[in-house]
Amino acid sequence: MCGILGIFGHKDISQDLIYGLVSLQHRGQDAAGAVVFKDNFRIKKGLGLVNEVFKEKHVSRLQGQVGIGHVRYATQGDLETQDSQPFAVNYPYGLAMAHNGNVTNFREIRKYLHDEKHRILTTSNDLELLLYTFAAEMENKNLKQLSVDDIFTVVKATQNRIIGAYSTITIIANKGFLAFKDPYGIRPLALGKKETAQGPVYAFASESTCFDYLGFKTIRELEPGEAVFIDMERNVYSKICVQKQRSFCVFEYIYFAREDSIIHDRLVASERVRMGKALAKKIREKGLKPDIIIDVPSSAYFFASGLAEALDVPYRRGLAKNNHVGRSFIKPLQKEREELVSQKLNPIREVIEGKKVAVVDDSIVRGTTSRHMVKLLRRSGAKKVYFISAAPPIQHPCVYGIDMSIKTELIAGRRDINEIENKIGADALVYQSLEDLKKLYKDMPSCYACFSGQYPTKISEELLNQMEKDRICSKLKKN
Ligand code: AMP
């Protein structure tokens, strides 16, 4: 998963670009990069957090009125600086691009680019596939007189070729600034605007929280298949180039997006409260009567407080979190993941002791956190431990960019709920049901593929196996 931000201003935007990226840091911590255009493309990228990659000197070197930034959580490709985004090309035209998502027909596109367009790929990042396909479509246009219609035709041809999830931002040198989504609209991307004395400044960002931070007004989320083009005079054009059934990733609301972001007019925090409240029915059906509700900090707070409100049971902070410990999720070995979870989360004994505790997390992926939480809470004197997942069982890999692409790693991949309950050692395990989750989004068709196995784009069993193998290989290299 990744975060992207692009700004098209009148004065130098590099400072805003780098600061803005910090507010998207939760979407990717493996690498960061930025490209700015002023006569030529200036690029800086590296491995690590935004504040580690960009120093004061880079901000002053990256001067320009238009730029794109990227934070990367590598779910595909290698973890090398050269694989970090954005990328730029000069043939047939000056183009720079960044994207968030995952191309699923990568083999077919690689072959097309190699055999028909004679392009030699230099990285393992699927952005290259998108950028070269886009560039190849540009070759068919009269570049001296490139019209807005031409640009939308290029987007349409690219969308017709590239399958998968992709929200992209592109600089077309001296012509303008472009953003487009895949036809299903799987990943978020919003348009923002700020009025200045020199005229309007426009931005595209993965999440609206970035606009709050930079003082932009959120205009709106882009529609599935939509392209928005802003020319040099700051005229804004938009067109839905190719549209399929809207399939916004519901896991963005569950886990990925920040709670203060508004996506498709819905505040993420409120969505989590609604999901938490929806869990109350399942707790009652199971006859569970917890004394307190606690959360696994920090992503589960809104689910837990929503559930506590619906059940009229006190919410307490039962686990203290050390924010200075790295991410357990990406560690290669189970033992290392468990050690990190214990260093990261410490139960507050006085809150837990002698209580029937319902502990809420946003999701259970491999079961590392849940199993460990149950153990820690028992050790702290909990009378009973009920584990509650705000997400339904994750039974299928995500092929659209969330780091859950290895089916054999998923605890619910081949187990039923009783087996998982035993495996994590809880007195009871409650999952959100997929039906209840879907009811919350009945007016907004969404992607539930990781729960249902129904992928909005066509995915064959062979492709799933291939993607799983690639992911295992790149994880081994990464570690
Ligand atoms: P696990 O411990 O493997 O069951 O993973 C579940 C925990 O990891 C939960 O506490 C989530 O907040 C977190 N989580 C869920 N999905 C992801 C993801 N794709 N990347 C990183 N962390 C995640």
Side-chain angles (χ1 to χ4, degrees), residues 10 16 41 48 84 87 99 108 174 208 232 255 314 320 418 469:
H10 301 273
D16 275 359
F41 289 119
S84 311
F87 292 168
H99 94 309
E108 191 185 307
N174 296 319
S208 67
M232 300 306 283
Y255 172 76
N418 289 334
K469 267 195 216 138

Side-chain angles (χ1 to χ4, degrees), residues 1 29 73 75 251 254-256 296-300 327-330 334 337 341 344-345 360-371 373 387 394 401-404 409-411:
M1 187 53 63
Q29 294 114 44
Y73 181 10
T75 59
F251 207 71
I254 294 173
Y255 172 76
F256 227 89
V296 178
S298 346
S299 49
R327 287 180 305 156
S328 52
F329 197 87
I330 59 165
Q334 184 61 20
R337 288 196 284 267
V341 174
K344 199 148 94 182
L345 298 168
V360 184
D361 204 352
D362 53 84
S363 58
I364 303 174
V365 182
R366 289 176 290 221
T368 313
T369 311
S370 43
R371 194 164 47 228
M373 277 308 101
F387 202 91
I394 298 173
I402 300 227
D403 189 11
M404 310 188 296
E409 279 190 357
L410 303 174
I411 194 168

Side-chain angles (χ1 to χ4, degrees), residues 458-473:
K458 266 192 231 131
I459 302 286
S460 66
E461 207 45 49
E462 189 207 351
L463 182 60
L464 278 180
N465 292 339
Q466 180 62 44
M467 291 179 91
E468 173 147 347
K469 267 195 216 138
D470 289 352
R471 185 69 190 125
I472 293 171
C473 275

Side-chain angles (χ1 to χ4, degrees), residues 96-288:
M97 192 185 265
H99 94 309
N100 169 209
N102 208 16
V103 172
T104 55
N105 61 337
F106 50 91
R107 272 191 292 187
E108 191 185 307
I109 299 293
R110 263 186 223 144
K111 189 166 169 9
Y112 154 74
L113 289 171
H114 182 271
D115 296 358
E116 289 179 43
K117 296 291 160 189
H118 314 291
R119 294 268 181 164
I120 306 298
L121 302 180
T122 53
T123 75
S124 63
N125 192 311
D126 57 359
L127 172 64
E128 242 189 337
L129 307 177
L130 255 169
L131 177 56
Y132 287 176
T133 302
F134 187 90
E137 293 301 332
M138 289 273 280
E139 281 174 33
N140 306 326
K141 302 291 168 199
N142 176 348
L143 296 173
K144 276 203 179 131
Q145 287 162 6
L146 196 67
S147 67
V148 176
D149 272 350
D150 286 339
I151 290 168
F152 289 149
T153 323
V154 168
V155 172
K156 183 174 177 173
T158 307
Q159 289 167 324
N160 278 332
R161 250 186 218 286
I162 305 265
I163 302 178
Y166 44 91
S167 287
T168 72
I169 310 176
T170 306
I171 299 170
I172 307 178
N174 296 319
K175 294 281 180 196
F177 195 44
L178 170 74
F180 62 93
K181 277 190 179 180
D182 65 78
Y184 300 87
I186 297 172
R187 297 277 151 239
L189 190 64
L191 170 66
K193 183 179 178 184
K194 179 158 73 174
E195 292 297 348
T196 67
Q198 292 77 28
V201 175
Y202 288 97
F204 297 105
S206 294
E207 291 185 35
S208 67
T209 180
C210 194
F211 295 147
D212 298 344
Y213 196 68
L214 296 173
F216 280 65
K217 189 169 170 278
T218 304
I219 305 292
R220 64 182 176 84
E221 183 69 26
L222 267 64
E223 289 298 312
E226 185 181 5
V228 175
F229 177 69
I230 303 167
D231 69 14
M232 300 306 283
E233 285 71 46
R234 309 305 190 271
N235 298 306
V236 180
Y237 305 87
S238 88
K239 183 170 181 178
I240 296 188
C241 301
V242 179
Q243 195 171 43
K244 302 269 168 63
Q245 170 70 58
R246 176 194 299 269
S247 308
F248 183 68
C249 167
V250 78
F251 207 71
E252 290 275 352
Y253 287 128
I254 294 173
Y255 172 76
F256 227 89
R258 229 170 78 163
E259 54 269 50
D260 51 344
S261 284
I262 297 172
I263 308 179
H264 285 300
D265 299 323
R266 294 160 187 258
L267 176 69
V268 172
S270 308
E271 293 307 295
R272 293 181 183 166
V273 170
R274 284 186 339 125
M275 291 182 211
K277 287 185 175 170
L279 283 161
K281 188 180 80 180
K282 305 257 335 224
I283 309 267
R284 289 197 193 100
E285 276 169 11
K286 276 212 165 196
L288 304 176

